[in-house]
Amino acid sequence: MQYVNIFDSHAHYDDAAFDEDREQLLAALPGAGVRLVVNCGADLASSRKAAALAREYPYFYAAAGIHPEEAHDLPEDWEDELKALLSQPREVAVGEIGLDYHFDENPPREAQRDVFQKQIILANSLGLPVIIHDRDAHGDTMELLQKHRPRGVVHCFSGSVEMAKEVLRLGMYIGLGGAVTFKNARVPVEVAKMVPPDRLLLETDCPYMAPVPFRGKRNDSSLIAYTAARIAEIRGEDAQELIDCAFRNASRLFLGNENATGD
Ligand code: NI
């Protein structure tokens, strides 16, 4: 499956799952049709690693943010740290940030909401888009998005068609990844069908969420080919055209220019 022009709008190549062969793997991405990648931070340490990857690889950009599962034991000056990181070149978004109510042992909801809200306000003040993680927290997520109206994307979209409509009404993008290809995927398929072409982003969330037929294995940006092929099939479109369209969308959102080259 060979496509070109892939823009992976959400990756975690700083993850330990890539420690053994990161250099090799990242060097091979352009040859596999991957043109640009946004590597997301999940806490201050991984946001620093994301920044380092963006310095090293000309086809990488970075996002910096505190993931809701990391919204605890933060240093007093975390907001200043984040702001300093985000002022560096090739920083294109605040993310990933949001709410995750899935596990009881996650940080208290109050703390999650506080850290999330502060980061949306920071993104708005810096003129940057946000990359939103929402897991089993649709109501509270939508409330804060409606209140602050950031630009951005709801990544690995897991909400209903109704919620997708609300996200679109706010002018935001919808990120779709490997979950669309899963056998039991019903709602993600419906969402993939209804997202307007100019609001759809492709993503991996690698090392997680590998598409079928690699489900459960380590994911990487080249496998977006399988996700795109499935979404194109659902929508009755051509996969390369869908990839091209998602490239323009991600470039518009993160780089402010539809024809961005990554230079
Ligand atoms: Ni992620």
Side-chain angles (χ1 to χ4, degrees):
M1 221 181 263
Q2 182 64 46
Y3 299 110
V4 295
N5 224 15
I6 290 170
F7 194 139
D8 186 351
S9 63
H10 192 115
H12 298 278
Y13 284 110
D14 53 283
D15 192 282
F18 298 108
D19 280 354
E20 273 196 4
D21 59 348
R22 183 176 294 104
E23 222 166 289
Q24 235 176 321
L25 179 74
L26 298 190
L29 289 180
V34 179
R35 194 165 150 201
L36 292 177
V37 175
V38 172
N39 200 87
C40 297
D43 56 18
L44 289 173
S46 72
S47 295
R48 278 185 212 108
K49 287 183 191 164
L53 287 171
R55 277 194 298 274
E56 193 172 342
Y57 295 91
Y59 41 96
F60 265 60
Y61 288 92
I66 312 289
H67 188 283
E69 286 178 274
E70 307 298 332
H72 58 92
D73 303 326
L74 294 171
E76 194 121 304
D77 62 344
W78 69 269
E79 282 180 89
D80 294 334
E81 286 248 7
L82 205 54
K83 204 171 166 181
L85 262 170
L86 289 163
S87 67
Q88 294 181 30
R90 303 187 77 80
E91 293 286 333
V92 295
V94 179
E96 61 180 292
I97 63 174
L99 300 173
D100 193 320
Y101 296 167
H102 189 67
F103 295 111
D104 288 338
E105 60 269 32
N106 282 356
R109 293 177 178 197
E110 194 59 32
Q112 289 191 36
R113 280 193 290 265
D114 179 52
V115 170
F116 181 30
Q117 176 155 260
K118 282 179 173 149
Q119 292 182 99
I120 304 177
I121 292 170
L122 176 63
N124 283 349
S125 77
L126 296 173
L128 288 171
V130 291
I131 297 171
I132 303 293
H133 171 103
D134 158 31
R135 194 174 184 199
D136 299 342
H138 302 325
D140 285 1
T141 299
M142 287 314 298
E143 193 187 311
L144 285 172
L145 293 180
Q146 256 143 9
K147 182 170 166 197
H148 295 289
R149 306 295 296 256
R151 291 191 300 126
V153 56
V154 179
H155 110 87
C156 191
F157 189 84
S158 63
S160 62
V161 168
E162 264 322 297
M163 180 178 163
K165 284 182 188 161
E166 272 182 69
V167 167
L168 293 166
R169 266 199 294 274
L170 291 175
M172 296 181 77
Y173 292 77
I174 289 188
L176 295 175
V180 175
T181 68
F182 296 171
K183 223 180 186 166
N184 56 355
R186 218 182 49 249
V187 179
V189 166
E190 281 172 39
V191 171
K193 222 178 268 178
M194 61 73 76
V195 180
D198 61 346
R199 297 291 193 84
L200 189 150
L201 301 189
L202 294 171
E203 64 168 63
T204 54
D205 205 15
C206 65
Y208 314 105
M209 302 298 274
V212 172
F214 301 98
R215 188 173 183 179
K217 305 233 170 71
R218 186 180 74 172
N219 199 1
D220 72 69
S221 306
S222 68
L223 301 184
I224 278 187
Y226 294 87
T227 304
R230 176 69 183 122
I231 296 173
E233 181 189 36
I234 291 165
R235 294 166 69 92
E237 294 172 3
D238 176 77
Q240 184 60 59
E241 276 174 31
L242 182 96
I243 289 170
D244 292 342
C245 186
F247 182 93
R248 289 193 296 274
N249 297 341
S251 299
R252 191 188 315 119
L253 176 63
F254 293 120
L255 311 174
N257 174 3
E258 285 203 356
N259 303 307
T261 59
D263 300 330

